[in-house]
């Protein structure tokens, strides 16, 4: 996808790596971006299905409930901006943003209690949402009000993986 440009170097880059210049035409770039979006949507749906299977173990959903809950979740989810090891986190934190009133029409009282307890783990962790934003994986245009005390800067992904 990229062509190396001799003579243009970044002091952080070592070896034969050089500054990359795009060599895709506008049409190729458009096709690449569409395919990338399709992959991210596929991964998002797969992560959602895994999370719903895990939740089903605690909630004992009927098939109709599972379908309605999955539809509700998909209506409220946006794919991550890029693929990453944090795809499940992006899905979980978005699920926590779904209002309880919307979920309450699908689940019975016991199931709703389980859902609320599960989502409470993710709904208050603004630090993780900031981490996802800083690493470019939080969905574009999805704004979340993060409590001030949790608005601390998190280390970037590169720093965590060292």
């Amino acid at each position: 996808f990229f062509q190396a440009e001799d003579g243009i170097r970044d002091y952080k880059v070592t070896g034969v790596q050089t500054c990359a210049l795009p060599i895709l035409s506008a049409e190729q770039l458009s096709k690449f971006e569409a395919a990338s979006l399709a992959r991210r949507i596929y991964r998002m749906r797969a992560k959602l299905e895994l999370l719903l299977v895990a939740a089903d173990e605690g909630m004992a959903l009927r098939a109709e409930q599972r379908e309605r809950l999955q539809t509700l979740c998909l209506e409220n989810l946006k794919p991550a901006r890029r693929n990453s090891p944090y795809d499940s986190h992006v899905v979980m934190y978005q699920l926590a943003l779904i209002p309880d009133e919307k979920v309450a029409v699908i689940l019975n009282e016991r199931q709703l209690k389980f859902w609320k307890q599960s989502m409470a783990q993710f709904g208050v962790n603004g630090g993780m949402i900031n981490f996802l934003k800083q690493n470019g994986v939080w969905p574009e245009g999805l704004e979340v009000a993060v409590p001030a005390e949790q608005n601390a800067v998190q280390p970037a992904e590169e720093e965590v993986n060292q």
Side-chain angles (χ1 to χ4, degrees):
F1 299 107
F2 292 96
Q3 167 183 325
E5 178 72 19
D6 288 335
I8 302 175
R9 296 195 179 268
D10 186 324
Y11 74 95
K12 297 178 197 171
V13 179
T14 60
V16 296
Q17 300 169 328
T18 61
C19 180
L21 301 175
I23 58 171
L24 296 178
S25 69
E27 180 183 348
Q28 290 170 323
L29 182 60
S30 175
K31 287 180 181 178
F32 173 79
E33 288 172 346
S36 176
L37 177 61
R39 281 190 300 275
R40 289 182 287 126
I41 290 172
Y42 179 84
R43 288 175 60 100
M44 177 194 71
R45 291 181 67 102
K47 297 298 180 186
L48 174 62
E49 288 178 22
L50 286 173
L51 292 169
L52 290 179
V53 166
D56 193 7
E57 291 179 12
M59 293 192 293
L61 296 169
R62 295 186 319 273
E64 175 264 336
Q65 285 178 305
R66 192 176 308 104
E67 288 174 18
R68 288 179 61 199
L69 185 59
Q70 184 172 10
T71 300
L72 173 67
C73 293
L74 287 171
E75 290 170 353
N76 288 278
L77 289 177
K78 291 184 175 187
R81 286 177 43 194
R82 65 177 179 86
N83 293 335
S84 80
Y86 305 105
D87 288 350
S88 292
H89 292 80
V90 171
V91 171
M92 289 185 289
Y93 284 95
Q94 287 184 81
L95 291 179
L97 299 174
I98 298 174
D100 291 339
E101 301 79 43
K102 289 186 175 185
V103 180
V105 299
I106 299 171
L107 305 177
N108 66 35
E109 190 176 321
R110 183 190 57 77
Q111 293 166 329
L112 184 60
K113 181 179 178 183
F114 181 89
W115 176 268
K116 287 179 179 182
Q117 289 172 341
S118 299
M119 293 303 111
Q121 299 174 51
F122 305 105
V124 297
N125 194 339
M128 185 63 181
I129 292 174
N130 282 337
F131 175 83
L132 296 170
K133 287 179 179 180
Q134 290 169 2
N135 285 286
V137 295
W138 188 252
E140 194 169 354
L142 183 59
E143 293 304 318
V144 178
V146 176
E149 66 273 6
Q150 295 181 358
N151 216 1
V153 175
Q154 298 289 318
E157 182 176 342
E158 295 78 28
E159 296 171 18
V160 171
N161 292 331
Q162 289 180 353

